[in-house]
Amino acid sequence: MTSQSQGIQQLLQAEKRAKDKLEEAKKRKGKRLKQAKEEATAEIDHYRLQREKEFRNKETNVMGSQGNFSAKIEEQTTEAIQNLTSSYHRNMESMMKKLLSTICDISPEIHPNFRPAV
């Protein structure tokens, strides 16, 4: 009977060791899954940053050229406004004299198509 009791004790101890090993394996598995998840997140973040950097570079290349166009257009517009303003100031006096002379200097004449009534 003692040998049977010892056999049961050995089986219980073996079952306990197996249960402990199983729990330890589950803990290691959980720890490894957590570590793998963290590594994957870090890799995804790195990839995302790399792609965003490439996108920003392409965007600045495209938008930079558009920025140059808008700067050129702005410069041309400013130059045109300055030219018109200077032309206005140069010609204002002579145009005012022409307008006033046309309006004020009236010489009454008979229209060439007028036929006197006979």
Side-chain angles (χ1 to χ4, degrees), residues 2-56:
T2 59
S3 68
Q4 201 176 29
S5 170
Q6 281 182 340
I8 292 175
Q9 286 297 323
Q10 286 178 344
L11 283 174
L12 288 174
Q13 287 176 354
E15 186 179 345
K16 183 172 176 17
R17 283 192 308 258
K19 192 184 264 187
D20 290 343
K21 284 185 179 183
L22 193 68
E23 287 179 21
E24 184 65 30
K26 284 181 182 179
K27 286 179 185 179
R28 281 195 313 259
K29 180 182 175 185
K31 192 184 249 186
R32 180 62 190 130
L33 283 173
K34 186 177 179 181
Q35 183 183 7
K37 184 177 179 181
E38 289 173 357
E39 289 173 359
T41 304
E43 189 174 331
I44 289 169
D45 289 341
H46 177 71
Y47 180 75
R48 181 181 298 128
L49 289 174
Q50 180 184 3
R51 296 299 288 177
E52 285 178 359
K53 183 178 178 182
E54 290 175 13
F55 174 74
R56 277 188 249 112

Side-chain angles (χ1 to χ4, degrees), residues 1-117:
M1 173 120 173
T2 59
S3 68
Q4 201 176 29
S5 170
Q6 281 182 340
I8 292 175
Q9 286 297 323
Q10 286 178 344
L11 283 174
L12 288 174
Q13 287 176 354
E15 186 179 345
K16 183 172 176 17
R17 283 192 308 258
K19 192 184 264 187
D20 290 343
K21 284 185 179 183
L22 193 68
E23 287 179 21
E24 184 65 30
K26 284 181 182 179
K27 286 179 185 179
R28 281 195 313 259
K29 180 182 175 185
K31 192 184 249 186
R32 180 62 190 130
L33 283 173
K34 186 177 179 181
Q35 183 183 7
K37 184 177 179 181
E38 289 173 357
E39 289 173 359
T41 304
E43 189 174 331
I44 289 169
D45 289 341
H46 177 71
Y47 180 75
R48 181 181 298 128
L49 289 174
Q50 180 184 3
R51 296 299 288 177
E52 285 178 359
K53 183 178 178 182
E54 290 175 13
F55 174 74
R56 277 188 249 112
N57 287 339
K58 288 181 182 180
E59 185 179 40
T60 54
N61 288 341
V62 171
M63 294 303 286
S65 62
Q66 287 180 355
N68 292 341
F69 288 135
S70 64
K72 286 179 183 178
I73 290 171
E74 185 69 31
E75 183 180 317
Q76 290 172 352
T77 304
T78 305
E79 186 178 325
I81 290 171
Q82 288 175 350
N83 288 340
L84 289 172
T85 305
S86 66
S87 174
Y88 166 77
H89 288 296
R90 272 184 284 139
N91 298 322
M92 180 181 67
E93 190 68 34
S94 63
M95 282 306 297
M96 289 301 285
K97 285 181 183 177
K98 284 182 184 178
L99 281 172
L100 287 174
S101 68
T102 303
I103 294 171
C104 295
D105 298 339
I106 301 173
S107 57
E109 298 176 355
I110 298 176
H111 196 273
N113 291 337
F114 177 73
R115 294 184 189 155

